[in-house]
Structures are given as structure tokens and as C-alpha cells.
Amino acid sequence: MSTGGTALPDDDGLLASLRYLFSDIIGEQDDTPPLLPEALPAALAPAVSDAIHLLIDYQGVSYAKLYVDRLKRFVGRRGVDEAMLADIAQLMAQRMAYQDPIRLAQQKLVELEEAQRRFQPRSADDVKKFRVDEMVGALPAVVADPMLAVLEKFGWVRKNVSIRFSANSPFSVRRLKMEAGLKRWRLFSVRYASERVWVERWLHMIDRSLTKQPKAATAVIETATMIQGFGDPYRQGIADWHAIIDGLAKPTFDGALALSDLAAAILEARVAVMPDPRQAALKRKIAEIRAKVPVATN
């Protein structure tokens, strides 16, 4: 499944991401939770505060600070109303707290703590299907890259593997704690690097839409909902997202495609999305949309 071309995020976003990555790695960080962005609408304060605490639990204070820095780009910006800012804040938090084996182990341990606190029975086991490359991608790149090369050679990277997340025995709880303890290594992982680039590209496309086609900004923001969960559905969502962005949004913003109503085009393309690794219906729909408009000349 092709994920399409990827554009580099803007320099400020990339530098912010790297700054927080390295501050967390070397331990030079302030453990004080970040303040809410200045000029943030009061109505959004509870949701943004919840997102900050979510990301502190997920990865740490510096990760939450990265979230706030990213959100600041749109606070008070012309053309970004309260509803639009709320969508950016919510969807960015969801995407930054992406589901990987480490996160699922964290959540299972929280369920265990809640059950113990309330003197309730432990929760049932959860069995999740991950792709092999997704599991390996949660490891540091220095380890994951050679492993992925070998797995690719044998054609195993796309195989599905079931993982049981259980808190119903001392051994399974110890295993959960070991898995959750890999949180620190997430910053070095292949998956973290790809997610960082994806979020920056999504924000960059929102920024370009606000400048080039403001009426399409909401549709661009909502494309983040295409990417959910893990395993094959996650990979499909990533691939479909890139197909729409590379086929419709980016060429429109670049001036290569004279698409007057990008929002409608994005929605039309999303209707054609199917659980098909070949993306046949989606690619056909994007081609039909492009065929209806003249090729722009710069």
C-alpha cells in the first residue's frame, strides 16, 4: 500500500519537534506542566487542559509543551474561529497520543489501578492485532531499521500478530509494566518519527488552506479523522490521507490545479474511501475530480 509522497513540515514546526525530542532524551526539561496558550478562548480551556494532561501521561511534560507550541500557531489567527480551533486541539491531541503497544499497556495498567481502588474485578483481557512492522516500529530506529530490512526480505512486515493485554496474573501485570516502561524509548522509535512528520504536515496543510482556500480549512482539519487505531486500518488511513492530500490539496495550494472548491473535492474523495489496499475506488475518484478542472499555469 502506497502512502504517497510526503512533504517536509515547515522549519519552525520541525525545529520545535526536534527541540522537545532532544530535551526529553537528555533530561534537560522543566517538569512544570505548560501553561495554556495566551488568548485561548475560555470555553476551550478545559479541553486543552485535558489534552495537556493526557500527553503528559502519554509521554511527558516536554511532549505536552510541544502540543501547546503547535496549538499556539492557530490561537488568535485570522480565519480560525473557536469551533475550528477546538477541532485542531482535539484532533491533534488524539493523533499525538497514537495507539501503539506501549499505550495499550499503559491503559491496561490504569484500568487495573481503577479496579483495585474500587475493589472491582479485574477487566477482561484485550487481544489486539498489530502488523509486524508496527510492532517493530515501536522500537528505537537503531534496532528497528535492520530488523525491518530482514523482515521485508522474507515478506513478513505486513503480517498480523495478535497481542494479549492482560492484568489477570502477576506475570501478565509484570509484562504490562515492562511494555509501558518502554515509553521513554518511544522518542527514538521509527513510529514516533513518522507520526511527528505526519502531524507537522497536517498542520502545514491547515496553514496553507487558511492562506490559499480558507473555506476548505475545516475539511482539511477533519482529514485527521481518517487515521485511527492500529494495524491494517491505521495503515489504510495513512495511505488514503496521503492520496487525498497529494492528489487534491497540495497541487491546489501549489497552484498546479485550479480547484475552486477544495472542501467539496475532499469530501467527495473521502466518500470513495474503501478498505482496499490498492485504493482503486479512491484513486479513480481523485482522477475524476482532477479531470473536471483545468490544469493551472503559474
Side-chain angles (χ1 to χ4, degrees), residues 147-164:
M147 289 180 64
L148 289 171
V150 173
L151 292 168
E152 179 69 40
K153 182 178 180 181
F154 288 97
W156 293 344
V157 293
R158 295 171 181 80
K159 289 185 177 295
N160 287 314
V161 177
S162 295
I163 302 180
R164 183 178 299 276

Side-chain angles (χ1 to χ4, degrees), residues 226 235-245 273-274 279 282:
M226 297 175 65
R235 295 289 179 174
Q236 182 78 56
I238 285 282
D240 293 340
W241 185 87
H242 280 297
I244 289 174
I245 294 300
V273 168
M274 301 288 288
Q279 301 175 290
L282 176 58

Side-chain angles (χ1 to χ4, degrees), residues 121-136:
R122 298 185 181 189
S123 62
D125 294 356
D126 292 327
V127 179
K128 307 294 185 181
K129 284 189 175 182
F130 288 88
R131 285 182 19 156
V132 170
D133 57 352
E134 195 171 17
M135 294 170 55
V136 175

Side-chain angles (χ1 to χ4, degrees), residues 27-63:
E28 293 181 359
Q29 61 191 55
D30 182 357
D31 289 332
T32 304
L35 298 175
L36 296 175
E38 292 184 13
L40 180 75
L44 301 188
V48 173
S49 180
D50 287 346
I52 289 171
H53 289 291
L54 165 68
L55 295 171
I56 289 174
D57 178 65
Y58 182 86
Q59 188 60 47
V61 171
S62 67
Y63 199 54

Side-chain angles (χ1 to χ4, degrees), residues 13-25:
L14 181 58
L15 289 175
S17 297
L18 294 176
R19 180 169 66 252
Y20 289 113
L21 167 64
F22 288 115
S23 70
D24 209 15
I25 291 172

